[in-house]
Amino acid sequence: MLQRIRENWVRPALFFGNNPISLAGGAITSAAGVAMIGFWLLDIFARPTVNPYLGIIFFLILPGLFVFGLALIPAGVFLRRKKLQKTGQIPAQFPKIDFNDRMFRHGLDIVLVATILNLLVVSVATYRGAAYMDSPQFCGQSCHVMHPEYTAYKVSAHSHVACADCHIGSGAASYFKAKVNGTKQLLEVSFHPIAGVSKHMPDYPTPIPSPVQNLRPAREICEGCHTPARFIGEKLLVKSNFADDEKNTETQSVVVLHLGGRDSLSHLTGIHGVHLGHIEYVSTDNTRTTIPWVQRRNEDGSVTDFSTSAAKGAVQQGERRVMDCIDCHNRAAHTMQTAEDALNRAMAEGAVSPELPWVHKKGLELLKANYATEAEARTKIPEQLTAFYRSEHPDVLAVKPQLVQAAGDGLVTVFTTNVFPEMKVNWGTHPNHIGHMSYPGCFRCHDGDHTAKGGKAITQDCAACHNLLAVDESKPKVLADLGIQ
Ligand code: HEC
Ligand code: HEC
Ligand code: HEC
Ligand code: HEC
Ligand code: HEC
């Protein structure tokens, strides 16, 4: 047996393998292998901060070269054999292998060890390459098209959840689907510079369309981490508002949201509870904002249809969906705020100091101006803020120059985490469905205009969703009572 393998395989392989292509393949493979192992050791022991472009080299290109080199070895063998066959130069007997020859025996050992090592390297490289392609660095950072989503993601509550946990299902099929999709996008990105000139080249859309049509059902995505039945009960929400006057007068709203959930008696209650039942709807625009028809399945199995006065009870043409988490939490990982909300928050946190006269009015004006690129916004916003104080309030600039500078930086942060001129993501491009102040949100259905046959409407009663403890009050007493202010 061993003898046969030696006669029929080892000897011919060694004979044919002695050609430039196979030798070059061996060299490429070894070089790539050594570089990768070196990088992995560095990665394990030194933990360098991985630059996404280095990642592309070490997790995708080098493994590619490694496999390419490996493939060259049999290719060379095959070509040499074919060539010798053509010229009839294949020897009847391959050169004898002499196992008494120590040099040869060691050579064979080396080949054996190298093969095992190569197999190890290939499997580690495959694993690490796949893991890297799923990492937020790869998805969000090496692909500038994802810049808006990645930036918003980094400041979200989900900044430690991998993109793939929400966007790619488990199992080989969804992994493959995601990679095919990703490759298409990679091609679109690569052709982007040419696509402007020729219409025949694939190009990516700006902005990336939302909602994501092929996202898995939220039952699979969100419920891996959040138990929908968890009883949250009441949730206190405090929001600050600054006015457009000289003093940036601050007022606050305090609401207690009836979030509910499944209570200890298994009753579904509150905002989460009601919609965990079965609600279907049809939307007729591409952001799921216009909803003319809604159907609720009641506990006894009967259904109640609600429709707008314009729809008059008819099921409309459009996208039909069963309501889930994403119909309210559509921006869970990528909240792009409105300019007003973002500035109010930055001022409440002190990033833009409310001490500066007129800073709310002027700041909003600067945030909403047109900038062709992010770089332009980064220079113009602080420049023009300083210019404003220099001409209108030189006394302020003289006494508090650091506050003005910090406010400029704060405005830049607000702008660059919400607006992405290069990707055509502007204020309001991606509506957030969670409330009803900035976008229709809950009022897409709860607008009082969605009525059932008997005349019953989907409620717009403020108290159904929350207790309003204070609406735009200055220093609300309730906050003092709660010990918050
Ligand atoms: C907690 C889950 C979650 C995580 C983590 C997450 N996303 Fe998303 N993402 C979503 C949801 C949900 C939507 C769909 C919004 C919709 O359909 O209305 C979305 C939408 C998108 C879109 C479509 C455009 C848009 O703005 O709506 C892109 C692109 C995207 N995500 C990229 C990423 C990248 C890149 C990462 C990692 C850096 C990431 N996502 C991480 C949940 C997530
Ligand atoms: C891999 C786990 C994971 C997945 C999947 C996930 N989340 Fe989360 N979620 C978290 C963690 C961790 C937090 C942060 C908790 C904290 O900060 O207290 C969080 C926080 C939240 C919050 C509260 C913070 C906020 O932004 O107001 C909401 C709402 C939320 N998730 C909704 C969702 C939705 C909707 C989905 C599905 C699209 C989802 N999550 C998918 C882990 C996950
Ligand atoms: C009808 C709309 C709606 C649906 C559907 C919905 N939520 Fe919520 N959820 C809300 C609102 C409103 C809040 C409170 C928002 C806030 O804190 O600003 C909230 C808050 C949360 C929070 C944060 C709770 C906390 O303690 O701060 C989590 C986590 C969450 N939802 C997860 C989910 C998951 C998972 C699903 C799907 C099973 C889901 N939600 C479906 C409206 C909804
Ligand atoms: C797609 C349509 C739709 C959207 C969007 C929607 N809801 Fe509802 N909601 C319903 C339907 C349908 C009912 C059941 C109405 C009924 O049976 O009278 C309901 C019932 C409720 C109830 C119970 C009302 C009661 O009388 O007890 C609350 C509370 C509620 N929704 C809160 C919210 C909140 C908060 C949001 C936004 C975060 C929201 N809903 C978004 C369709 C919607
Ligand atoms: C269908 C449910 C629903 C109804 C009806 C409703 N709200 Fe709300 N409201 C919400 C939710 C959800 C939020 C929290 C949004 C968030 O998390 O940012 C909210 C937040 C608020 C806030 C504070 C948030 C802010 O941005 O200032 C005020 C004020 C408010 N609602 C007023 C009202 C008034 C007044 C009515 C009655 C005309 C009303 N709401 C009806 C669901 C509802």
Side-chain angles (χ1 to χ4, degrees):
M1 171 79 176
L2 213 73
Q3 182 67 24
R4 278 243 307 280
I5 292 181
R6 209 176 279 153
E7 293 280 328
N8 296 341
W9 293 99
V10 179
R11 279 201 219 162
L14 286 176
F15 176 74
F16 290 124
N18 190 5
N19 71 70
I21 296 180
S22 298
L23 292 177
I28 291 175
T29 295
S30 321
V34 167
M36 281 192 293
I37 292 173
F39 179 72
W40 295 338
L41 290 178
L42 207 70
D43 195 24
I44 292 168
F45 295 113
R47 290 233 149 268
T49 43
V50 180
N51 169 315
Y53 295 98
L54 265 189
I56 291 188
I57 295 178
F58 280 102
F59 295 127
L60 302 175
I61 296 182
L62 276 182
L65 275 179
F66 186 86
V67 172
F68 173 69
L70 273 188
L72 277 185
I73 298 175
V77 168
F78 176 77
L79 286 176
R80 176 150 192 238
R81 183 161 167 263
K82 218 168 145 191
K83 192 171 151 207
L84 292 184
Q85 240 171 5
K86 236 186 190 164
T87 50
Q89 280 180 315
I90 296 191
Q93 270 274 304
F94 290 103
K96 256 229 155 47
I97 297 177
D98 185 357
F99 277 91
N100 292 325
D101 181 350
R102 267 190 54 190
M103 277 283 280
F104 178 75
R105 274 209 325 266
H106 282 308
L108 214 59
D109 286 348
I110 290 174
V111 170
L112 200 76
V113 169
T115 306
I116 293 173
L117 252 171
N118 281 349
L119 283 176
L120 264 174
V121 168
V122 167
S123 45
V124 174
T126 312
Y127 173 75
R128 300 211 38 168
Y132 173 67
M133 283 203 288
D134 278 357
S135 71
Q137 281 81 10
F138 178 75
C139 303
Q141 226 175 329
S142 45
C143 179
H144 67 273
V145 174
M146 300 285 175
H147 180 52
E149 283 74 23
Y150 184 64
T151 307
Y153 156 89
K154 275 203 309 199
V155 296
S156 83
H158 290 112
S159 56
H160 287 82
V161 177
C163 319
D165 282 354
C166 289
H167 284 282
I168 304 177
S170 50
S174 48
Y175 186 80
F176 183 72
K177 208 171 110 194
K179 287 305 157 223
V180 169
N181 236 325
T183 309
K184 179 174 156 272
Q185 282 157 9
L186 212 62
L187 287 177
E188 288 171 350
V189 171
S190 319
F191 284 127
H192 179 62
I194 318 174
V197 184
S198 159
K199 287 206 163 39
H200 301 293
M201 288 296 174
D203 198 3
Y204 56 82
T206 51
I208 300 183
S210 188
V212 180
Q213 292 300 344
N214 49 9
L215 212 63
R216 288 172 299 149
R219 295 213 76 90
E220 287 172 35
I221 311 175
C222 320
E223 295 181 14
C225 296
H226 300 286
T227 314
R230 186 171 83 95
F231 186 72
I232 296 174
E234 307 288 316
K235 181 173 177 181
L236 183 73
L237 200 71
V238 182
K239 290 220 171 167
S240 290
N241 243 316
F242 294 84
D244 269 351
D245 55 8
E246 178 166 5
K247 287 203 188 107
N248 313 300
T249 306
E250 182 181 6
T251 55
Q252 284 172 315
S253 295
V254 185
V255 300
V256 177
L257 286 169
H258 307 317
L259 265 185
R262 195 185 292 277
D263 67 15
S264 52
L265 299 172
S266 243
H267 293 137
L268 290 173
T269 65
I271 298 171
H272 272 173
V274 200
H275 304 89
L276 278 174
H278 192 94
I279 293 175
E280 274 182 63
Y281 71 85
V282 169
S283 64
T284 53
D285 70 323
N286 53 14
T287 56
R288 296 183 184 146
T289 297
T290 312
I291 299 181
W293 181 86
V294 183
Q295 182 181 67
R296 175 189 186 177
R297 188 163 301 159
N298 304 309
E299 266 163 51
D300 60 6
S302 64
V303 294
T304 311
D305 288 5
F306 299 89
S307 66
T308 55
S309 46
K312 295 195 188 72
V315 186
Q316 301 288 301
Q317 288 285 326
E319 185 194 359
R320 186 165 175 156
R321 248 178 87 81
V322 176
M323 204 173 169
D324 66 23
C325 319
I326 288 163
D327 290 296
C328 297
H329 296 285
N330 65 324
R331 307 308 302 173
H334 319 288
T335 311
M336 279 123 191
Q337 301 163 282
T338 58
E340 288 81 1
D341 284 349
L343 182 56
N344 278 333
R345 182 185 282 195
M347 289 180 67
E349 288 168 355
V352 174
S353 172
E355 279 180 44
L356 294 170
W358 297 106
V359 75
H360 185 266
K361 185 164 187 283
K362 187 67 196 170
L364 213 50
E365 187 188 309
L366 290 176
L367 287 174
K368 288 184 167 180
N370 263 328
Y371 305 98
T373 62
E374 189 177 313
E376 188 185 326
R378 279 183 189 279
T379 46
K380 278 203 177 157
I381 291 176
E383 242 173 52
Q384 293 184 2
L385 189 73
T386 311
F388 168 76
Y389 285 109
R390 190 176 301 122
S391 70
E392 309 286 321
H393 300 278
D395 48 319
V396 174
L397 193 60
V399 184
K400 301 171 182 162
Q402 332 82 291
L403 272 193
V404 175
Q405 197 191 350
D409 293 346
L411 288 177
V412 166
T413 304
V414 165
F415 187 89
T416 54
T417 47
N418 290 289
V419 176
F420 306 87
E422 284 92 342
M423 283 302 296
K424 298 201 177 74
V425 173
N426 227 308
W427 300 112
T429 300
H430 293 301
N432 190 343
H433 298 324
I434 201 77
H436 55 81
M437 302 301 264
S438 312
Y439 299 102
C442 312
F443 287 8
R444 289 172 298 159
C445 300
H446 290 269
D447 61 351
D449 186 38
H450 287 69
T451 45
K453 265 214 189 93
K456 180 189 173 215
I458 303 180
T459 185
Q460 200 180 17
D461 178 6
C462 316
C465 299
H466 43 49
N467 282 346
L468 297 166
L469 301 184
V471 177
D472 282 335
E473 286 179 24
S474 125
K475 302 207 190 320
K477 182 176 168 297
V478 59
L479 285 186
D481 292 347
L482 290 169
I484 296 176
Q485 229 172 29

